[in-house]
Amino acid sequence: MLRSETAGEPNRTATALRGLRFYQQAERIARPAPAPVIARVGRASIRDYGGDGPTVLFIPSLINPPDVLDIDEERSLLRWLATRGLRPLLVDWGTPLGEERELGIAGHVETMLLPLIDAIGVPTALVGYCLGGTMAIAAAALRPVTALGLIATPWRFGAYPDSTRDALQDLWRTAEPATDALGVLPMEILQAAFWRLDPARTVAKYEAHGDRDPADPQSRAFVRLEDWANDRPPLTRGAARELFLDLFDADLPGKRQWRVGGAIIDPRTLTMPMLEIASTTDHIVPAATTPGVGERIDLALGHVGMIVGSRAKQSLWVPLAEWLSRAASSR
């Protein structure tokens, strides 16, 4: 990918490789202690970030660790919301077990997410990020939740560019034999899939890092975020097949054919207050792929930048907190 993106520009190649070396050799800073677990269903759990006020359960993607929502002391959406009259909770999916090889995305909702919601014991809003938002829609259709927030949530997978969908299907054909043998889709293959969604940005961010002083606070922030991105747990074989074949290839959600818990899931039938936050510059979840329901906020921020970037607090955190408070008061 680096050769392709910097062909004929050896200075760019060298800068990106320098950025990679800086990343590999960087000193790592200890993360904040994880929030306490208040409920557990199998390997999945709920972490409680405290705070007084309406309960909000955040549902991260299966594809990344959940801590992007609590990346560090300065950039933790959840710790900040706990000081704004809300009680944020976080689903931690844990690491797949050997006996779960055939558990699909819908199966994660049915066997883990719904029981976790039941275990909270009080009315709760749901906020899903990325694929976690897709799963949150299904949960909201199957449980009485107070409100539904969707951040960079893919739903109309047929709206992805044909080139992206074709590349992901090529990747799956290559990865399927190993996935069948292992029972999981390894993180390294998932990372390659994300690189294919936006290869130019992947190379550019390492070029930018190659021009920074390693002691710069921006360098430390970059390292922390890249460690998060490169620490993806594997996907079960069932979830990988559902992601690549049923979602990206067949677009079952967008065609109103995706079944969870025996029901067809259609976000347009939901009646609770809904907020959709999308990005006009996101190549991982383009704005055209989101469900198109409820109130909407469009941001010109990247898929991860909208959560942890320098403009995230003003652009996303504040309006999300205000909306959640309004939704709670309207009940």
Side-chain angles (χ1 to χ4, degrees), residues 152-161 276 284-292 296:
T153 293
W155 188 261
R156 294 175 288 184
F157 289 83
Y160 274 91
E276 183 174 279
I284 295 175
V285 181
T289 69
T290 60
R296 184 174 175 107

Side-chain angles (χ1 to χ4, degrees), residues 5 24-25 121 133 140 158 179 191 197 206 254 262 277 286 297 311 325:
E5 292 298 319
Q24 292 170 327
Q25 297 174 350
T179 304
Q191 185 68 301
L197 291 175
Y206 276 95
I277 301 177
I297 297 174
R311 292 184 287 157
S325 297

Side-chain angles (χ1 to χ4, degrees), residues 108-315:
H108 280 76
V109 176
E110 295 160 356
T111 65
M112 297 182 196
L113 182 54
L114 295 182
L116 285 172
I117 292 172
D118 295 340
I120 294 172
V122 297
T124 184
L126 304 181
V127 175
Y129 174 50
C130 193
L131 187 63
T134 311
M135 301 168 78
I137 292 171
L142 300 169
R143 288 295 186 272
V145 301
T146 61
L148 176 63
L150 304 171
I151 303 173
T153 293
W155 188 261
R156 294 175 288 184
F157 289 83
Y160 274 91
D162 289 343
S163 57
T164 296
R165 298 174 76 199
D166 290 345
L168 291 175
Q169 292 314 303
D170 288 344
L171 179 68
W172 174 243
R173 282 189 285 271
T174 301
E176 187 174 14
T179 304
D180 289 345
L182 295 171
V184 295
L185 179 66
M187 178 274 292
E188 291 82 0
I189 297 175
L190 286 170
Q191 185 68 301
F194 274 83
W195 288 344
R196 289 189 184 207
L197 291 175
D198 196 357
R201 183 184 176 280
T202 301
V203 172
K205 68 182 179 180
Y206 276 95
E207 286 184 86
H209 191 55
D211 284 332
R212 291 192 192 107
D213 182 339
D216 188 318
Q218 278 192 305
S219 293
R220 292 194 294 271
F222 174 84
V223 169
R224 174 69 192 101
L225 200 56
E226 284 301 288
D227 280 351
W228 165 77
N230 292 317
D231 191 30
R232 294 184 172 99
L235 273 184
T236 62
R237 175 182 180 273
R241 288 181 60 83
E242 190 168 356
L243 177 66
F244 283 97
L245 300 181
D246 293 349
L247 274 58
F248 273 104
D249 188 33
D251 187 23
L252 296 188
K255 295 176 180 177
R256 301 195 296 279
Q257 296 174 3
W258 189 42
R259 284 188 175 272
V260 182
I264 293 288
I265 305 301
D266 183 352
R268 298 177 305 173
T269 66
L270 302 180
T271 59
M272 72 285 294
M274 288 185 283
L275 172 68
E276 183 174 279
I277 301 177
S279 168
T280 58
T281 59
D282 189 351
H283 292 278
I284 295 175
V285 181
T289 69
T290 60
V293 292
E295 299 178 47
R296 184 174 175 107
I297 297 174
D298 284 315
L299 305 175
L301 299 175
H303 187 73
V304 180
M306 67 168 68
I307 301 293
V308 298
S310 60
R311 292 184 287 157
K313 180 179 289 187
Q314 192 59 39
S315 298

